[in-house]
Amino acid sequence: MFVIVFRYRAPLETIDALKDAHYSNPHGVFAKGMARFAGPLEPRTGGLVLAEGERSAIEAAVASDPFVTSGAATAEILRFRPTWPPNQTAAPASIANVATTPTEDVATPPTENVVIARPRT
């Protein structure tokens, strides 16, 4: 599982104008079915997505996000291994799709976090 943290670099008017494209991007985490939970940070300085999938697929989806491609936001991708609640055989209904087995080999050494940003011109 991955935590994707978007950090806004543009005014909220720009972010709001890109929001529909962010959610409907055919190559993004939403269209690819990788997003489990998503929403804005409070205060609105960015947003957060919990996603499942292969790291390379997550990175490609985030790199294609209109927030990132326009330079309106950067995105940091963090690997996350849920460990709580402990000893629970079934996840509560509100998070049933989140508590799944890892999609990458647990023996794989951790890789560095990835920040995806379009260079400022």
Side-chain angles (χ1 to χ4, degrees):
M1 181 167 289
F2 295 90
V3 177
I4 304 163
V5 182
F6 289 94
R7 300 281 182 197
Y8 301 153
R9 296 170 47 179
L12 289 178
E13 296 79 24
T14 302
I15 298 300
D16 289 340
L18 292 167
K19 195 176 345 179
D20 286 342
H22 165 70
Y23 287 116
S24 65
N25 173 19
H27 306 291
V29 294
F30 301 103
K32 297 279 187 182
M34 294 185 254
R36 298 294 175 251
F37 290 97
L41 298 176
E42 292 182 10
R44 268 187 82 196
T45 57
L48 187 134
V49 178
L50 289 180
E52 290 182 307
E54 296 295 324
R55 177 177 280 280
S56 60
I58 298 282
E59 289 176 5
V62 171
S64 75
D65 190 285
F67 285 168
V68 174
T69 60
S70 69
T74 60
E76 182 177 11
I77 302 170
L78 306 165
R79 177 68 192 235
F80 173 69
R81 293 191 193 273
T83 58
W84 192 90
N87 303 320
Q88 185 166 327
T89 58
S94 64
I95 60 167
N97 290 331
V98 175
T100 61
T101 55
T103 57
E104 293 182 49
D105 185 354
V106 175
T108 302
T111 57
E112 293 183 29
N113 296 331
V114 176
V115 176
I116 300 175
R118 180 173 171 240
R120 291 187 183 205
T121 54

